[in-house]
């Protein structure tokens, strides 16, 4: 997930096991609808090429390139 999620860009990240930080992030999203919409829109836009099918295509392309000539 670290290769996809970026704090303030397409997500709000909080430290693991930090209930206060999680609650604060949720309150922030509930009170700032523009931020919530922007994060959601950016996240949706950035994951369109991260499907299992797309991943399989990239692996197959890599394997084809790795074959000796």
């Amino acid at each position: 997930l670290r290769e996809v999620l970026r704090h303030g860009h397409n997500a709000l990240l909080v430290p693991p096991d930090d209930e206060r930080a999680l609650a604060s992030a949720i309150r922030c999203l509930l009170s700032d609808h523009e931020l919530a919409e922007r994060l959601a829109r950016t996240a949706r836009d950035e994951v369109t090429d991260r499907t299992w099918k797309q991943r399989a295509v990239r692996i197959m392309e890599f394997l084809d390139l790795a074959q000796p000539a």
Side-chain angles (χ1 to χ4, degrees), residues 35-53:
L35 173 63
E37 286 292 326
R38 182 178 57 78
L39 293 175
R41 185 176 49 254
T42 303
R44 266 192 312 274
D45 292 346
E46 292 183 352
V47 298
T48 57
D49 67 334
R50 294 189 178 268
T51 65
W52 284 109
K53 183 176 181 177

Side-chain angles (χ1 to χ4, degrees), residues 3 7 37 39-40 42 44 54-55 59 68:
E3 69 187 52
H7 182 74
E37 286 292 326
L39 293 175
T42 303
R44 266 192 312 274
Q54 288 295 93
R55 188 171 184 86
I59 290 170

Side-chain angles (χ1 to χ4, degrees), residues 2-69:
R2 287 182 185 265
E3 69 187 52
V4 177
L5 301 177
R6 293 186 309 268
H7 182 74
H9 177 72
N10 59 9
L12 290 183
L13 303 177
V14 298
D17 301 321
D18 189 338
E19 297 88 6
R20 288 178 190 244
L22 178 59
S24 177
I26 292 171
R27 278 193 300 274
C28 179
L29 292 172
L30 290 173
S31 66
D32 188 340
H33 297 286
E34 287 182 26
L35 173 63
E37 286 292 326
R38 182 178 57 78
L39 293 175
R41 185 176 49 254
T42 303
R44 266 192 312 274
D45 292 346
E46 292 183 352
V47 298
T48 57
D49 67 334
R50 294 189 178 268
T51 65
W52 284 109
K53 183 176 181 177
Q54 288 295 93
R55 188 171 184 86
V57 166
R58 285 193 299 273
I59 290 170
M60 294 302 290
E61 288 171 350
F62 171 80
L63 292 174
D64 285 344
L65 292 175
Q67 296 296 319

